[in-house]
Amino acid sequence: MKQDYKTSQIFLTNVLMLLFILSFTIKGQNYLSGAESVAYDAEHDRYLVSSYYNGKIVSVDTSGEQTPFIEGLGRCLGNVLHNEVLYVSCGSKVRGISTDSAKIVFDISIPNTTNLDGMTVDSSGYLYVIETIAGRLYKIDLQTEESTMFVPYGLGDSPQDLIFDKKNNRILCCSWSYNSPVKAVDLADGRTYTAFTTSTGYFDGITMDDEGNIYLASHVGNGGVYMKDKSLQNPEILIAEGMSEPAGLDYDPVNNLLAVPAFSGNKVHFIYLDQITSVEENGILPESIELHNNFPNPFNPGTNISFTLNAADAVKLNIYDINGRLVKKLVSGELNGGFHRFYWDGTNELNNQVSSGVYIFTLETNGISLSKEMMLLK
């Protein structure tokens, strides 16, 4: 998707930049079916994922092994972890599951709702959940189990997900529409206003890191994660792409990473972050086009392929086998100048017939062609 802001503004200094994006190798059975939302459980060092189609919460550990945490919840969407309870939105219900016992310890219905989704908890312990169809925000007292309509309108078209901004005592809400702004709700008086505008949209997830930088999961283009730096004055930056319908992501402060569920990919991507200074000083784009080495290499099953453009241009990024046969068209379209990274899962091509061996990835843009080799080991 072509952005309407100047390419010289894309890269900022002193911002969080992507180091690499990994998808854990799934060990054993994949229990995810519509990976919709994820919450990091620091006490048990795992990621709890809402699986929409089969009504499960699936636990993913740091080795990539999946185990069903609880099932029979119905079509579950948003989730958030608070005081060792995972709260999950399921249709018109909000359920809480103990992270120790995996038993339901909280279960209420909110009248006149059908599609509760994104959730967050404020510093006073109140739970908030969005109703995407009506666009209403509900506030839940976790002690009395009483719910009230907190915001009846003004959150944009089809609001999807929430995050609590402690510094400003407000909730930020992202929406499913083109160029959708991120809305804010002042928790002191319920007033809604635009926190910042965007040039992308179709957001299905929002989270925030410890520095106040905001991350948005978008279905635009190849499916990616955008970062809005904490000043909220600069355009959002694409930090990862190539994910299949990224949804309700979460920030893991222990490992300094983003966990991003891919709804139709039925997996969780992990974006590792670090506070570094952009290699482009003063927002100036690089002078040349570069195709970087993939990481990891050798790899199994997936690897990250990155490149840098010196200007916006049409791009083709293809993968070939050693005999020159096309294996995957990874990118075909116009991209902005700057750094881009895409993930290739070697298990998902040619009807799962991709075998171990050497593969070639080729970047074609601005009349030039660059190629590098990589090794898939199974």
Side-chain angles (χ1 to χ4, degrees), residues 37-324:
S37 188
V38 61
Y40 175 61
D41 179 3
E43 182 182 4
H44 301 93
D45 195 22
R46 62 187 177 187
Y47 303 86
L48 298 173
V49 188
S50 295
S51 184
Y52 177 74
Y53 288 116
N54 59 19
K56 299 177 187 289
I57 299 296
V58 179
S59 171
V60 180
D61 68 17
T62 52
S63 73
E65 185 171 352
Q66 293 185 8
T67 54
F69 177 67
I70 189 173
E71 54 187 39
L73 296 177
R75 295 198 165 184
C76 44
L77 287 170
N79 68 32
V80 65
L81 199 150
H82 176 68
N83 287 346
E84 301 177 11
V85 176
L86 181 74
Y87 294 94
V88 184
S89 55
C90 312
S92 63
K93 287 181 171 291
V94 174
R95 289 177 165 137
I97 302 101
S98 167
T99 56
D100 288 328
S101 66
K103 293 182 178 180
I104 295 176
V105 295
F106 184 92
D107 193 351
I108 68 169
S109 295
I110 300 181
N112 303 315
T113 62
T114 58
N115 202 52
L116 298 173
D117 197 345
M119 316 174 77
T120 194
V121 179
D122 69 13
S123 54
S124 298
Y126 288 99
L127 176 69
Y128 298 83
V129 60
I130 197 75
E131 213 285 341
T132 62
I133 296 176
R136 295 189 291 256
L137 179 66
Y138 290 86
K139 180 178 181 178
I140 302 172
D141 187 324
L142 296 177
Q143 300 300 317
T144 65
E145 300 189 359
E146 294 179 352
S147 65
T148 57
M149 186 191 302
F150 190 63
V151 177
Y153 55 84
L155 293 174
D157 297 330
S158 189
Q160 298 291 312
D161 199 13
L162 310 169
I163 189 69
F164 173 57
D165 178 3
K166 182 178 180 179
K167 179 181 178 180
N168 298 292
N169 192 35
R170 64 182 181 176
I171 287 175
L172 299 177
C173 177
C174 66
S175 298
W176 181 261
S177 60
Y178 182 68
N179 285 357
S180 56
V182 169
K183 293 287 189 173
V185 179
D186 189 324
L187 292 184
D189 56 15
R191 177 177 59 96
T192 64
Y193 59 95
T194 296
F196 58 88
T197 59
T198 73
S199 55
T200 45
Y202 290 105
F203 299 122
D204 201 8
I206 185 170
T207 194
M208 178 185 291
D209 65 24
D210 289 340
E211 298 297 318
N213 301 296
I214 297 166
Y215 302 89
L216 296 156
S218 172
H219 289 209
V220 167
N222 295 289
V225 173
Y226 291 82
M227 185 200 76
K228 185 80 170 180
D229 79 275
K230 60 186 177 182
S231 75
L232 303 187
Q233 301 300 311
N234 298 297
E236 67 269 27
I237 299 172
L238 179 65
I239 62 168
E241 54 193 335
M243 290 171 277
S244 187
E245 298 186 304
L249 72 174
D250 191 28
Y251 174 66
D252 166 4
V254 176
N255 299 294
N256 194 28
L257 63 81
L258 300 176
V260 188
F263 183 79
S264 60
N266 295 322
K267 64 173 63 177
V268 178
H269 296 274
F270 295 86
I271 304 172
Y272 288 80
L273 303 164
D274 199 6
Q275 287 183 322
I276 63 173
T277 299
S278 169
V279 295
E280 290 78 24
E281 295 183 358
N282 301 320
I284 299 175
L285 292 170
E287 295 181 357
S288 61
I289 298 169
E290 296 184 32
L291 178 63
H292 308 295
N293 293 325
N294 64 301
F295 179 86
N297 191 38
F299 63 95
N300 177 27
T303 190
N304 301 280
I305 299 173
S306 60
F307 53 88
T308 305
L309 304 178
N310 58 1
D313 210 335
V315 171
K316 291 183 180 179
L317 180 63
N318 295 327
I319 297 174
Y320 301 89
D321 66 16
I322 196 64
N323 296 315

Side-chain angles (χ1 to χ4, degrees), residues 1-69:
M1 175 182 176
K2 186 176 181 179
Q3 309 292 344
D4 58 3
Y5 50 78
K6 295 179 180 179
T7 55
S8 63
Q9 294 176 310
I10 293 177
F11 284 90
L12 314 173
T13 57
N14 297 318
V15 297
L16 288 176
M17 296 297 290
L18 174 68
L19 292 184
F20 52 88
I21 177 173
L22 293 174
S23 284
F24 288 165
T25 303
I26 298 172
K27 296 183 178 180
Q29 183 175 348
N30 186 357
Y31 295 98
L32 293 172
S33 180
E36 172 61 24
S37 188
V38 61
Y40 175 61
D41 179 3
E43 182 182 4
H44 301 93
D45 195 22
R46 62 187 177 187
Y47 303 86
L48 298 173
V49 188
S50 295
S51 184
Y52 177 74
Y53 288 116
N54 59 19
K56 299 177 187 289
I57 299 296
V58 179
S59 171
V60 180
D61 68 17
T62 52
S63 73
E65 185 171 352
Q66 293 185 8
T67 54
F69 177 67

